[in-house]
Each structure stands twice: as C-alpha cells, then as structure tokens.
Amino acid sequence: MSEQIKNAEQGASPVPYRGGGFRPKPVRIVAPILFAFLIGFWEFGAAIGWISPLVLPAPSEAFAAFKELLNSGDLARHLGASLQRLIFGWTAGSLLGIAFGIAAGLFTLARGGIVPFVAAIFPIPKIALLPLFIIWFGIGEESKIATILFGTFFPTVIAVYGGIDNVDRNLIRMGQSFNLKWWSIVWKIILPGALPAILSGFRISHPLPLFYSLRRK
Amino acid sequence: MGGLEKPDRGQVLQLGSAPAESLNPLTYIFQDFALLPWRTVKGNISLVLEDHGIRGSEAENIIADVLARTKLSDFENALPKQLSGGMKQRVAIARALAVRPACLLMDEPLSALDSQTRELLMDDLMDLWLKENYTACYVTHNLNEAARLGHRVIVLSRRPGKIREIVDIDIPLQDRQSHPQLLADKQKYLWELMREEAMAADMELSHV
C-alpha cells in the first residue's frame, strides 16, 4: 500500500500487465454437465411431445432397448464380431498405410504414383464405397473389413509420408557426412524422426473405423 | 568441400590418401549441432561408429576417450535436450573426433552460441589442438574466432565467393591471449579487408 502511495507521489504508475489470455485451460467438469444437460433436455422434450419417438426415441427408451439386447446376449455377439472386424481392418490398413507411406516418403517414383492417388481417393467418404465393396467382396465379412481397411489406410499414408518429409534435413546431411549407409540413415534417423507424426496419424485413424462400422448399422 | 553439395563449377581435390586409421577423413561439425534428440550423448557418438562395425568394448573405449577429451564424461547418458548449447556442440565435436578425421570441416560451429559460451568453446578447441594437433577448415563470420584459432585465414569476397586475400597468422596459438595487441592488429587488418564487402552485402537484396 505504502509503495503505491510512494509511486503516486513520484508521478509513477505501474505498467499494466497485458500478456496472458489465448491459452484455454482444460476444465473437466464442463463436459459432463453439458452432456447431462443435453440428455435431460432430450428426455424432457420427448416426455412433453416436442420430439416424436419416431424421429428420435427418448434416452430412457433407448436405454431399455440396450438392456434388452444385453440380456438376450445379442449385444455381446455383435460387439465381438464388430471388434474383430475393427482390429483386423485397422491393423491391416495401418500396416499397408505405413508401407506405402514410407515408399512415398523415400522414393521419387513411388511418390509420383502414390500421392496423387491418395489425394484423389482420400476425400471420398469410404461409406460411399460400401455398395461397391459389397458387389466386389459380397455382403459378408470381407466387404465390411475392406471399408475399415480403406478408412484407415489413407490417413495413415498421409501421416507417414508427411512425417518423413518433416524430418530435419540437417540430421540427414549429418548422417551422410559421416558416411552412414543408406539403410542406416533410414532406420536410425528418418524413421525415428518421423515416428511422432506417424503416431499422431494413428491417433486420428484409430477412431475412424468405429465411425465406419457405426454408420453401417 | 565435404561432398554434401555439388559445385556449380570445378571440383574439390584431395591430395594423397587419408591415414588408414581414419574412419571418415572429412568430418563435419555443424552450426546447429545435428544431434539426434532421441539418442543419449553416448548413443549419438555410437551412431557414427556402428556403421564401421565398431561395437561393444571397442566402441566403449573410443566413446570414453572422446568424451574425456571434450570434458563430457559425466554426461554420457544425458539427452541432447538436457544440455546447453555449448555442451551440445561439445558432443558434436566428440562425435567428430570419434571417427578420427583427417580434416575437420567446421561450418560456423560457434555462431549459434551466446558469446560467453563461445569464449569457453574457443578455449576448448585450442586446448584440444594443443594436446593433439589436428587439421581443420573453419568457416566463420566472426573475426575474433578467425584471429584466435586460425593459422591461415582465407578472406572470401561476397557472392560469388572468390578468394580476396590469404593472411597468415604466425603467432603460436597458446601465446595469442598474451599478445592482445598483435592479435588486435591482425583482426583490424582483416576487418579493413572485409569492411566494404560487408557494407555492400548488407545493402544487397537476396535473389532467391
């Protein structure tokens, strides 16, 4: 306090703080509250007849149907089958994606072929290809797996070759200046350097198959 | 000079052959250190030995030796991000020494460092040279570095780089600190040579 008075006497005023802001903090409680509020609103709307049960059944009805499925054992069976498809499709799509991504990241010829191809196919919603897959692979498991595989393949290719492109050129030059073998440079410098980007590609691609299998229902 | 760029014209020649024990005759030290961030100090050095088939105890001996010469023995398991700029460059120097170069190519090795660290590292480079002479080609914009460390200074003109003058500095390295006047004269002379060029370069628009 006395310091403020002294400053005022000398005609000095503190410089106002103007940094800060632009840094949203994660607050855990907001999302559950919002979620509960929306569900409550939905239930309420259904109860007083704003929302027709044909368009959108009330949450309580949906829950009842869920319990029925659970009790009859259908759910476990369907879930098991879906999960199996998911794991298989995602693994195969990722492995293929990594292989093609690395090729596009390292070789001129592969890049010339793969990148335009990926750019052309990636924006197509994979679910739109489902009728085609059903014709090609039949209505069974294969067409479902193919959708998931396609869905994971493209984002993975893009993440992998993008990651390789962003490896610090200086590290590669360093490898060359020490006469490291081509294979050593790829294995010890380029791939570890691209790994963060590849992993964040997985983070984007792993929930995708969930959508694809949901949308099929 | 190190074979990482293709010359527009002419070629770089190497007279005679490098000593047999030299694993990588022309070895770079980079301005930005070029250490692999996911490898420890030790790992960064063993990287350049692995391809020569040097592993196990032989590699351990070389690593221990070069770390001792660059005063890094206590930090062999540190990651580059834990080290200061000066320490990172010492790791890069240790890595270069590990392959027993015939000629070190130092590309502005100290210009990414603050001036205190730069002083310390210049002393280190000098000590290293006094203990065991080595050949180095040292590129710098800093006249003080040139005058303190160089035996023969080649002044280049601005683009296209042509040799303007070759200045020999025949004061022994270890005596240079004790003859500040002689050194200052050399430095002043170098600056006079470069002054106009530097001014013109400052005004020049780059054509990229």
Side-chain angles (χ1 to χ4, degrees), chain A residues 167-168 170-171 173-182 184-185 188-190 192-194, chain B residues 4-5 24 26-28 30 32 34-39 47-48 50-52 95-96 99:
Chain A
V167 173
D168 190 353
N170 270 318
L171 292 182
R173 281 166 68 89
M174 182 274 291
Q176 291 171 328
S177 82
F178 279 98
N179 261 342
L180 299 194
K181 298 184 190 85
W182 183 86
S184 288
I185 292 179
K188 293 173 188 167
I189 297 177
I190 294 179
Chain B
L4 291 185
E5 305 276 354
N24 188 39
L26 295 172
T27 299
Y28 267 91
F30 294 90
D32 63 354
L35 301 174
L36 300 183
W38 54 86
R39 282 187 175 228
L47 171 83
V48 300
E50 285 160 14
D51 264 33
H52 295 285
R95 176 179 63 187
V99 292

Side-chain angles (χ1 to χ4, degrees), chain B residues 2 11 29 34 51-52 70 98 151 163-164 169 175 202:
Chain B
Q11 48 189 338
I29 291 175
D51 264 33
H52 295 285
T70 47
H151 289 99
I163 295 178
R164 274 209 55 177
I169 303 180
D175 296 343
D202 195 33

